[in-house]
Structure formats: structure tokens, C-alpha cells
Amino acid sequence: MVSLYYTDPVWVSNPPVWRKGRLRSRIIGMDVFQIEGPVRLAGHVEVNGSKNAGLPIMAATLLAPGRSTLVGVPRLADISVCMDLIRQMGCEVQRQDDGLLAIDATKIDNPVGPYDIVRKMRASICILGPLLARCGRVEVSMPGGCAIGDRPINLHLIGLKQLGARIHLKSGYVIAEAPEGLKGASIFLGGPFGSTVLGTANVMMAAVLAKGRTIIESAACEPEVADLANCLNAMGARISGIGSPRLVIDGVTHLHPVQYRVIPDRIEAGTFMAAAAATAGEVHIDHCRPDDMMAVVDRLRRMGITVEPNGDGCTVVGREDIEPTDITTQPYPGFPTDLQAQFMAVLALAHGNSIVIEKIFPDRFMHVAELNRMAANLRKEGSVVIVAGVKKLVAAPVMASDLRASAALVVAGLAAEGTTTINRVYHIDRGYERIEERLNRLGARIRREEGGTV
Ligand code: EPU
């Protein structure tokens, strides 16, 4: 029997059909990658705007009545979900011919994040802060857990409560109200795994319209949070301490629409770096900010990989003989959890033992078993993986389980001998725009085929 326990892809009208004795899916978005390896990547690739900066910045435009335009927001499945989310509130959202994303938030008549949208993308939660501040009431479906762990939102709610919001849960929805407006407060936002990225975004977006001063201690310092703060300031907010763990926000009475360019995607850049390293390639990564990626650059250099920053990006030169090293994921400026899987694929090819410790999402290891199917030698012990380097990876059919795990399988597939089949590549489409075309321009041999097995 076909089991459809995942939610993103949608059945099209025609039912599943038997082909070559197997039940084949007819599901939109169930494409498959066939990756022929090994290859050596070479050439230039340009990094797109950041998904994780773009999503909260789209939510921030809801704070100001009028039409904002965003530059560099990538064309990704998650961004389309966010566009739908904002549309159903009563706003106009349009991708213009010039690629700019226009959001007209003159009117918001339905400040709600419905289950059907939030279940597709948990980052939908970042409408909580701006809608509460603008409309005085918001309802958002509680996001569930996902392939990378439990993902609670308690810190978001604690922060908003301290700003004066009344919050209760009803039928799976968070309902937050502040009919009299919000009031500045001193808020500590640290949790058991450090700061919270979207929690900081939510509380900051609520605080910009609160009366008086808000101080957020243990704020997330990620470049995406700093980009959001810079965008809010461009809309008339008064935030200082941007990029530090102590944000000081002096509330204003209103914000105005903005034209704003989002920063380049450091996780996409890091994924291309991993691909260059795993294939002993030479890749010029344009439009990236190595200064935002010091921990990543440091690890690459320890692996013997050359990273040379230049004007608008950097050049990464890999080598056959990869040095083993240790990686511990941490909040920024530490090594990002969003690159842990891709770098594990590289370390799988090092000439010795490495250790990878996951300190943000201790269960984010769905890629381990799949990489082992490709002849990697990985042993998971709790939130630690011991990586015994192997001489080569070998192609196999594998299953993408989440966005970054699937990126790791692509990196491994480029280096592996034979044809790797990656099922469920809709996961990768959530965060990487046409990655196969961009890698193919670097010499990869990736074919996208419609309809994988369920
Ligand atoms: N946490 C709590 N309570 C909260 C919120 C978070 O305990 O209320 C914990 C989480 O369980 C986790 C840690 O704090 O252990 C950090 O989670 P965080 O809130 O920072 O994650 P997030 O904001 O939900 C964003 C990115 C993720 C990225 C994390 C960590 C977006 C849209 N998502 O998620 O990106 O992994 O920060 O850097 O910005 C991805 O792009 O693949 C992705 C998952």
C-alpha cells in the first residue's frame, strides 16, 4: 500500500499507475535526481539571496501599510508558500517581471496563519510578531516537529508575553492578543540550545511598534537576523546592537514601506563550498560574504582546502587528500547546523577519523543512514557522529529526508562512483533554486526526472 505520511507533495488528479511491475507515484514535486559521478567541479557559480533572511523580511513588510519591494528574494518553494500565506491575509503579493518581490500590505483583513500553510513551512511562525504588533491579534497554527527534531516555540511565546501579549492555545492554534498595544520590556531569549533565530525575529518585529524600550538579551546574532533588523531600521524602526546578543529597540508609532535587498545565502554558498571540496574541484563562488562564514572557512582550511576571498565572493580549491577534522555546530558565529550534513559528506572522504557534534538540533542526522548506503562509514552516538573516512563513496538509490540532508546527498552523489538516485528532491527545491542546472554548469552530470517512487 502506498503511504503518504509526508505532506508537501500533492496528488494530481490521475491515480497512481503500475509501471514495470512497480507502483510509480504520480505526485507533483516527487522528482528524482540521477547524479553521475565522480566529477570534478570547476567554474563560476553565483549565490542567490538568502531564504532564511527573505522569509522573515517578507513577514516584516506586514508591519507597514503600503507597498514594499524586496530585491534578491530567491524563487524557492518555501518563498512561494510564504507568498500564499501573506496573500490569504488580504495583502497583494507579486513577483514582478524584473524579479523583485512586491508586497502590498495596505490591507490585512485576516491575520491568520492557517494549518494548511504552516504545516508546509514551519517558518510561517514568523508572522506572529508582526501581525500582533500591527493588528493587535493573530492566530497561527502551532508548527509541529519535523525531520530535524521537535522544534518548540516556547521562547517566541515567552518573549511576546513579556511585551504584554495575552496568549492561549486553542485547537492547535496559538492565539495572541494585545488590543491595547505592546509595551517594551527586558527579555532574556536564551534556551537550552542557545539563542533562537526566528524567536528573536518574532520578538524584535513585535517590539519595533511597542511603547518604550525593549532589550533582548541572548538574541540570535545570525546574519539573517541582522539583515532583518537592518530592513526594519530602513522601514523607520530604531534598533541598535544589531549582530550582537543584546538588541536595544526603541519603539516607534509606525513604519513605512521599504525597498530592500536581502543578503546572499551563506548556507547555499557553504553548500557549493562543500561540493567543491568533495570533488577536489576549483569553484569561484560569486556574490557571497566569506566574512559571514568564518567558522566554515576555518573548517575548510583545516581540511586542507584553499579558500581565497576576493572582491564579491571567494574561490575554493579542493584536493584529493582531505584532512579529517572536528565540527561542532553552534549558534552564529559558530559552525551552522544548516551545513552540518553537507560537511559530513565531505568528511566521509577524508583520510582519517573526524567527529561531528550537533549542538543545535541533536536529532538532525537523517542523512547518516543514507550516506552509509553510499559506502560512507559513519557511526552515530547520540548527537555525535564519528566519521571514519573512506577512499571512495559508491552510488546508491537514496532518500532525501529534509532540505539540508538532501543537499548532503547531492554533494556525496557528485563524488560517488556510479549513478546516485535521490528520491523526493522536493526537499531540496525548498531551499535551492534549480541546483542541478547550476551544478551542471560547473561540470556536474545531474538529470532531473519526473516522479520518483513513493
Ligand atoms: N528552541 C527552543 N525554543 C524555542 C525556539 C527554539 O528550545 O522557542 C530551540 C530549538 O529546538 C533548537 C534551537 O533552539 O534546538 C535553535 O532553534 P531556532 O529557533 O534558532 O531555529 P529556527 O529559528 O526555527 C532557523 C532556521 C533553520 C536553522 C535554525 C538554526 C529559518 C527559516 N530557519 O530556524 O534553518 O537551522 O534557525 O540556525 O530561518 C534550514 O534552512 O534548513 C533550517 C532548518
Side-chain angles (χ1 to χ4, degrees):
M1 205 181 101
V2 179
S3 127
L4 277 176
Y5 50 86
Y6 41 84
T7 50
D8 296 18
V10 186
W11 284 99
V12 288
S13 51
N14 39 351
V17 291
W18 288 97
R19 198 181 304 156
K20 287 189 188 155
R22 263 190 323 152
L23 182 62
R24 301 281 298 192
S25 69
R26 282 279 188 86
I27 295 179
I28 294 173
M30 287 298 283
D31 292 357
V32 163
F33 278 167
Q34 303 286 2
I35 306 182
E36 276 176 56
V39 293
R40 188 183 289 262
L41 297 184
H44 282 263
V45 65
E46 188 166 321
V47 174
N48 286 330
S50 161
K51 165 180 88 73
N52 288 351
L55 290 169
I57 286 175
M58 287 170 75
T61 64
L62 300 172
L63 284 161
R67 184 182 167 91
S68 291
T69 41
L70 303 177
V71 187
V73 177
R75 292 173 192 270
L76 298 172
D78 272 12
I79 297 293
S80 303
V81 172
C82 192
M83 289 165 74
D84 288 345
L85 177 66
I86 293 175
R87 266 191 206 110
Q88 62 79 45
M89 293 170 196
C91 304
E92 280 173 29
V93 186
Q94 195 192 358
R95 181 72 81 167
Q96 298 177 174
D97 293 343
D98 55 8
L100 269 58
L101 188 71
I103 300 178
D104 190 332
T106 303
K107 180 174 67 99
I108 298 180
D109 46 28
N110 184 37
V112 175
Y115 174 70
D116 268 353
I117 295 186
V118 179
R119 74 183 169 86
K120 288 186 193 152
M121 186 187 66
R122 70 177 312 292
S124 309
I125 196 67
C126 67
I127 60 170
L128 201 53
L131 288 183
L132 178 65
R134 164 106 184 251
C135 308
R137 182 187 159 89
V138 53
E139 288 182 29
V140 186
S141 171
M142 281 280 284
C146 67
I148 69 175
D150 288 344
R151 310 197 69 184
I153 57 161
N154 58 315
L155 297 170
H156 304 227
L157 304 186
I158 287 171
L160 295 176
K161 270 187 191 159
Q162 289 185 27
L163 290 174
R166 285 198 309 267
I167 296 183
H168 65 281
L169 304 181
K170 194 177 162 199
S171 311
Y173 277 72
V174 178
I175 302 175
E177 291 166 306
E180 290 354 1
L182 298 165
K183 230 175 123 216
S186 288
I187 299 167
F188 178 77
L189 266 195
F193 301 98
S195 50
T196 161
V197 170
L198 289 179
T200 304
N202 255 330
V203 177
M204 179 166 65
M205 286 191 277
V208 289
L209 289 181
K211 278 194 200 90
R213 173 169 283 194
T214 297
I215 296 175
I216 306 179
E217 295 283 5
S218 196
C221 303
E222 270 69 5
E224 296 75 17
V225 177
D227 202 31
L228 170 66
N230 287 327
C231 175
L232 289 166
N233 277 353
M235 296 170 77
R238 291 173 56 204
I239 304 171
S240 56
I242 295 174
S244 83
R246 185 172 201 262
L247 292 171
V248 179
I249 304 158
D250 286 306
V252 296
T253 51
H254 63 277
L255 297 180
H256 53 76
V258 72
Q259 172 151 29
Y260 192 80
R261 177 185 288 276
V262 300
I263 55 171
D265 195 317
R266 67 192 167 104
I267 305 303
E268 186 178 89
T271 303
F272 288 129
M273 289 175 176
T279 61
E282 177 165 346
V283 177
H284 306 277
I285 301 175
D286 300 331
H287 188 50
C288 80
R289 306 200 308 190
D291 284 354
D292 285 351
M293 307 177 65
M294 293 303 282
V296 176
V297 170
D298 173 69
R299 289 299 102 174
L300 282 166
R301 287 184 177 148
R302 280 172 196 255
M303 290 154 79
I305 313 293
T306 305
V307 184
E308 211 49 72
N310 48 45
D312 181 38
C314 64
T315 298
V316 179
V317 185
R319 55 190 258 176
E320 298 288 349
D321 197 15
I322 298 169
E323 300 282 345
T325 190
D326 296 343
I327 291 179
T328 302
T329 66
Q330 284 168 331
Y332 188 83
F335 192 93
T337 174
D338 291 345
L339 285 172
Q340 178 254 109
Q342 301 88 315
F343 273 68
M344 195 181 292
V346 182
L347 290 176
L349 288 161
H351 67 247
N353 294 344
S354 304
I355 293 183
V356 176
I357 306 174
E358 176 55 65
K359 289 215 167 167
I360 308 290
F361 294 113
D363 296 327
R364 193 175 201 175
F365 288 122
M366 299 284 278
H367 44 286
V368 167
E370 299 304 298
L371 289 172
N372 279 343
R373 301 192 71 251
M374 299 176 72
N377 186 355
L378 314 176
R379 187 156 59 87
K380 179 172 145 1
E381 297 280 348
S383 58
V384 175
V385 173
I386 298 150
V387 183
V390 292
K391 283 213 163 56
K392 62 176 188 186
L393 293 173
V394 182
V398 286
M399 196 64 85
S401 55
D402 69 76
L403 170 55
R404 307 306 173 185
S406 33
L409 298 178
V410 172
V411 170
L414 294 169
E417 246 170 45
T419 304
T420 297
T421 305
I422 305 183
N423 286 288
R424 298 188 187 165
V425 299
Y426 65 88
H427 282 296
I428 206 165
D429 293 334
R430 288 187 45 211
Y432 297 87
E433 188 178 332
R434 292 176 288 102
I435 195 167
E436 75 281 19
E437 291 174 21
R438 295 155 76 205
L439 287 169
N440 284 348
R441 282 199 286 274
L442 295 173
R445 293 194 296 267
I446 308 179
R447 242 180 13 260
R448 181 187 286 264
E449 290 176 358
E450 276 179 27
T453 46
V454 181

